[in-house]
Amino acid sequence: STQSTWGASALMLSGETASGDFPLQSIQAMARVASHIDSFPLMDSVSRPKITKFKPSWALAHAIITLSHDLNVDRILVATQRGITASLVAAYYPKPIITAVTDNICAERRCTLLRGVDTVRVEESGLARDTMIKAVQCLVQDGRLQPNQRVACLYGYPKAIRAGTSTLRLFQLDKQGNIAELDDYSWNEL
């Protein structure tokens, strides 16, 4: 059940449990536990496990989940070098799909194992904002984002992928699918 609460999208049995006298019953028991864990509503930041090393990232993961919920975001983009930040966000089981933005194939593969997470691989630009815009454009081009959808982004600064997670930004796609950043005046229209 620990892996389920951390946002894993797959579990497996190994060793004697998988090859013993009762492999089917073991799988059925594991499925019951996973289903039970999945039946719980979104857990708050207090009930999620904390790793001291990642406390700022946990706080930002919680913030982007809250932002996404309150503003009806359609997709969450998370820049990640190794997949850690994406897994922290995925542990909240948000309603919107999470897209891990990375330039690292190992992180991309790791993130595809997370529940509710897909990936986009982009070359990191000199400016963090440009990297995230490039990722949004890729998602528009391949049909994962549609016109009029909102995107919440979580990334580092000054580099989106290679710097420590520190920035939240909200993008809105217009009727033609072009990216518009929401300024202070636009917040009132949400």
Side-chain angles (χ1 to χ4, degrees), residues 29-56:
M30 188 170 63
R32 282 192 306 275
V33 170
S35 294
H36 180 70
I37 294 295
D38 284 350
S39 70
F40 287 99
L42 176 70
M43 293 184 183
D44 62 23
S45 62
V46 175
S47 61
R48 286 290 174 196
K50 301 285 189 292
I51 301 172
T52 305
K53 181 179 177 182
F54 301 115
K55 268 191 174 175

Side-chain angles (χ1 to χ4, degrees), residues 3-187:
Q3 279 67 30
S4 292
T5 61
W6 275 70
S9 62
L11 301 172
M12 72 176 210
L13 297 175
S14 59
E16 289 184 21
T17 309
S19 61
D21 292 336
F22 305 101
L24 180 59
Q25 291 83 347
S26 298
I27 290 170
Q28 290 169 336
M30 188 170 63
R32 282 192 306 275
V33 170
S35 294
H36 180 70
I37 294 295
D38 284 350
S39 70
F40 287 99
L42 176 70
M43 293 184 183
D44 62 23
S45 62
V46 175
S47 61
R48 286 290 174 196
K50 301 285 189 292
I51 301 172
T52 305
K53 181 179 177 182
F54 301 115
K55 268 191 174 175
S57 295
W58 269 111
L60 288 165
H62 184 261
I64 200 155
I65 293 300
T66 302
L67 174 78
S68 299
H69 179 267
D70 291 351
L71 299 179
N72 296 317
V73 165
D74 298 292
R75 187 173 286 263
I76 299 170
L77 271 65
V78 180
T80 187
Q81 186 175 5
R82 294 182 303 276
I84 294 168
T85 306
S87 69
L88 296 177
V89 175
Y92 286 96
Y93 301 150
K95 184 178 176 184
I97 293 173
I98 302 164
T99 298
V101 178
T102 189
D103 60 357
N104 180 323
I105 192 165
C106 292
E108 184 177 29
R109 290 175 180 161
R110 192 174 298 124
C111 289
T112 59
L113 298 175
L114 298 170
R115 179 180 183 201
V117 179
D118 66 10
T119 62
V120 62
R121 194 164 9 134
V122 297
E123 186 177 328
E124 184 154 42
S125 300
L127 296 174
R129 179 183 169 278
D130 294 343
T131 301
M132 299 312 286
I133 287 175
K134 195 184 309 181
V136 170
Q137 290 169 337
C138 287
L139 294 173
V140 169
Q141 288 173 358
D142 69 15
R144 290 189 270 173
L145 276 174
Q146 306 299 318
N148 297 317
Q149 288 190 318
R150 288 190 190 122
V151 182
C153 300
L154 177 60
Y155 56 93
Y157 183 83
K159 296 277 193 174
I161 299 168
R162 302 228 179 285
T165 305
S166 62
T167 306
L168 297 170
R169 179 165 279 175
L170 190 63
F171 292 111
Q172 171 81 45
L173 298 180
D174 64 17
K175 292 177 184 176
Q176 290 78 37
N178 299 315
I179 302 167
E181 289 184 66
L182 296 176
D183 57 27
D184 291 339
Y185 299 106
S186 303
W187 288 100

